[in-house]
Amino acid sequence: MSEALKGHVLVVDDDPALLKVLGALLTQAGLTPHPASNAKDALALLARRPIDVVLSDVRMPGMSGMELLAEVGRGWPDVPVLLMTAHGTVPLAVEAMKAGAADFVLKPFDREELLFTLKKALLHASQDPEPTRGTGKAPDGLDSLLMGASRAMKDVKALLVKAAQGTATVLLRGESGTGKELAARALHENSPRRAGPFVKLHCAALPDTLLESELFGYEKGAFTGAATRKPGRVELAHGGTLFLDEIGDVSPAVQVKLLRVLQEREFERLGGTQTVKIDVRFVAATHQSLEDGVRRGTFREDLFYRLNVVPLWLPTLRERPEDIAALARHFLDVHAKSNGRPPFTLSEDGLRALQAQPWPGNVRQLQNFLERLVVLSDGPMLTGEDVARELSRQPGLAPPPVAAPLPPSPSDSVTLESRRKDVEKEALVDALKRSGDNRTLAARLLGVSRRTLYNKLEEHGLL
């Protein structure tokens, strides 16, 4: 691999010799390894310091790699987990992907392939996607996935139930944070394919070369580091559903190959000549206007029509303010339990304050805001005053009065930059104090990813 990698990798294996070898390999590649001989030590290390990727063996005494994967998903959902196994069959890969693994590598591993897999995981993490780790457990139903009794949500659920029974491709449309992945999962869980895998891929997180290998897999020798055959997400989704998030970001070159898969239900792995037939239900999602992409020539018209067989629009939170009460109660219960706090209730004036907001980030933004309320408020009753206090700290929700601009002076840029850094550092220190130095929680309070938080802490000398 030509370019140096950067990041902290937690390596978990009960073989001390392998830990030593992996440590040297990762260090040579520019990464910082953190060894752990068992899952218990790995979880303790995760709680103490920033980790970008977890690389764990599957078979270990005590807690297995799959069990560790579940624990990481609960406590650190934005940290990708790669599993190492000497039993790298497609069924195991499907099980790992369903449980939320970012990828897997086979033992004995090739140096270049391992680094290639780590690079993909680091790229995913750097895109700061919404944490969407699978649980391996089927949800209870549509209401547990898509909350709300408004007319808009009732219409969405009715369409989902109808669409779920068929095999036609569904295109989910809507703003960021409206629940497109939840809708995709609801389609799968309410379909005849519910016993099969639900596999997802964030198309915007990877460049073309990596996206193609993620989609279609590769044969041994397809490129430097391809030491063995590796199935792609299309193959792993056989018999189930493949969810392609942010399909509007796919390049024209990859669009051509996707079109063939949608039309013919077949493909070839990278570097291979054997045609692989698949039985997959495709669900795609985008917050972009694909019609505009077609007009500009950046998105293929024939692919758009193949994807847009069953279009389904997810309403914004602005279009269904009557659902905010139920959503608020649900998120307050969830976050009180996850943060070890007593139950919280919301006063009438607190609810009115929430309903009056535009919520440009939709349900996702509301959820994050309510977690901040749970962590930072004394409780148990959250009032309009509590809501207003936190709203004042959220850009876009309660904007401060706009002052008249001052005439520019030569020293303005220096003064503003200096003040920006001071305010930023103060916010970081405050978040660490409020979270009890819990970096994951501090990142949530600030509304940034863990990676962004660590970069800022390092920039301000707070690590």
Side-chain angles (χ1 to χ4, degrees):
M1 181 161 295
S2 55
E3 70 270 39
L5 300 176
K6 288 181 66 177
H8 294 265
V9 182
L10 174 55
V11 186
V12 194
D13 201 294
D14 59 326
D15 183 348
L18 184 59
L19 280 180
K20 187 174 181 180
V21 169
L22 283 170
L25 189 157
L26 298 181
T27 301
Q28 185 181 22
L31 296 163
T32 304
H34 301 274
S37 58
N38 56 64
K40 183 178 178 182
D41 289 349
L43 292 171
L45 200 151
L46 268 168
R48 289 198 309 269
R49 66 147 302 109
I51 293 295
D52 295 303
V53 178
V54 175
L55 177 63
S56 174
D57 193 17
V58 170
R59 298 190 176 183
M60 297 182 292
M63 186 186 297
S64 70
M66 293 292 283
E67 291 170 320
L68 174 62
L69 170 67
E71 290 296 321
V72 175
R74 279 189 284 270
W76 300 269
D78 55 338
V79 177
V81 179
L82 309 178
L83 294 178
M84 299 182 289
T85 177
H87 309 274
T89 60
V90 171
L92 178 62
V94 171
E95 184 183 354
M97 295 294 189
K98 286 178 70 176
D103 213 328
F104 67 97
V105 292
L106 308 181
K107 290 183 177 180
F109 50 78
D110 175 87
R111 175 186 183 277
E112 291 297 327
E113 182 170 22
L114 175 63
L115 295 179
F116 175 76
T117 306
L118 281 166
K119 178 183 178 183
K120 289 190 296 183
L122 288 165
L123 278 166
H124 271 296
S126 68
Q127 294 293 323
D128 298 341
E130 176 188 7
T132 53
R133 189 174 299 276
T135 62
K137 179 181 177 183
D140 297 327
L142 278 175
D143 289 334
S144 68
L145 287 164
L146 298 169
M147 297 191 66
S150 62
R151 179 74 264 168
M153 286 309 295
K154 285 180 179 177
D155 290 344
V156 166
K157 292 173 189 178
L159 287 171
L160 278 171
V161 169
K162 289 181 180 178
Q165 302 311 308
T167 59
T169 300
V170 176
L171 180 61
L172 300 170
R173 313 286 293 269
E175 293 182 6
S176 294
T178 50
K180 294 187 287 295
E181 184 184 336
L182 293 177
R185 190 174 289 277
L187 277 166
H188 174 74
E189 298 295 349
N190 288 273
S191 77
R193 294 171 173 265
R194 66 178 65 90
F198 176 79
V199 178
K200 56 184 180 287
L201 181 61
H202 193 282
C203 297
L206 295 171
D208 277 3
T209 51
L210 296 185
L211 178 59
E212 194 171 342
S213 69
E214 279 293 279
L215 276 170
F216 306 114
Y218 50 82
E219 295 287 350
K220 179 178 180 180
F223 50 82
T224 302
T228 185
R229 172 189 287 177
K230 190 86 170 284
R233 301 297 172 102
V234 174
E235 193 169 350
L236 291 172
H238 182 74
T241 304
L242 177 61
F243 173 51
L244 300 173
D245 198 8
E246 298 302 348
I247 194 70
D249 290 297
V250 174
S251 72
V254 178
Q255 288 176 35
V256 174
K257 298 194 174 186
L258 272 176
L259 179 63
R260 182 196 169 198
V261 172
L262 287 165
Q263 288 177 330
E264 309 296 337
R265 292 301 196 269
E266 64 182 29
F267 67 96
E268 286 84 40
R269 302 183 193 94
L270 267 69
T273 56
Q274 180 183 357
T275 298
V276 181
K277 297 279 188 180
I278 47 101
D279 171 25
V280 173
R281 206 270 176 86
F282 289 89
V283 179
T286 182
H287 70 279
Q288 302 180 28
S289 169
L290 297 186
E291 294 86 347
D292 285 349
V294 170
R295 283 191 289 271
R296 292 193 307 267
T298 59
F299 201 86
R300 292 182 63 100
E301 185 175 20
D302 46 5
L303 178 59
F304 170 69
Y305 289 127
R306 280 286 174 183
L307 292 170
N308 200 39
V309 179
V310 181
L312 202 158
W313 288 85
L314 277 296
T316 65
L317 201 50
R318 301 183 298 282
E319 297 172 279
R320 52 187 189 108
E322 61 269 42
D323 288 336
I324 288 179
L327 288 166
R329 285 192 296 269
H330 171 72
F331 291 138
L332 288 175
D333 287 344
V334 168
H335 293 313
K337 290 176 184 176
S338 65
N339 286 284
R341 302 297 307 275
F344 281 78
T345 55
L346 189 65
S347 69
E348 287 296 324
D349 61 333
L351 176 59
R352 285 195 298 271
L354 293 178
Q355 290 175 327
Q357 291 300 316
W359 302 113
N362 295 295
V363 178
R364 186 187 310 156
Q365 185 181 19
L366 175 65
Q367 179 179 3
N368 292 339
F369 177 81
L370 289 168
E371 182 169 17
R372 280 190 285 276
L373 270 180
V374 166
V375 172
L376 302 178
S377 301
D378 296 328
M381 174 69 75
L382 296 174
T383 65
E385 185 178 342
D386 294 316
V387 173
R389 183 191 68 243
E390 291 308 315
L391 284 173
S392 68
R393 301 174 180 175
Q394 302 302 306
L397 293 183
V402 179
L406 296 172
S409 72
S411 61
D412 275 351
S413 60
V414 177
T415 303
L416 289 172
E417 178 63 13
S418 174
R419 291 193 64 186
R420 182 194 68 78
K421 288 185 176 180
D422 288 343
V423 172
E424 192 170 79
K425 184 173 182 178
E426 184 181 341
L428 290 166
V429 171
D430 182 62
L432 291 173
K433 182 179 178 181
R434 288 174 179 270
S435 66
D437 207 35
N438 182 316
R439 306 300 171 85
T440 299
L441 182 54
R444 290 179 185 172
L445 293 176
L446 292 167
V448 300
S449 70
R450 277 165 47 102
R451 176 175 290 246
T452 300
L453 174 67
Y454 298 139
N455 289 341
K456 290 297 182 183
L457 291 175
E458 184 174 10
E459 178 184 331
H460 291 282
L462 296 174
L463 266 183

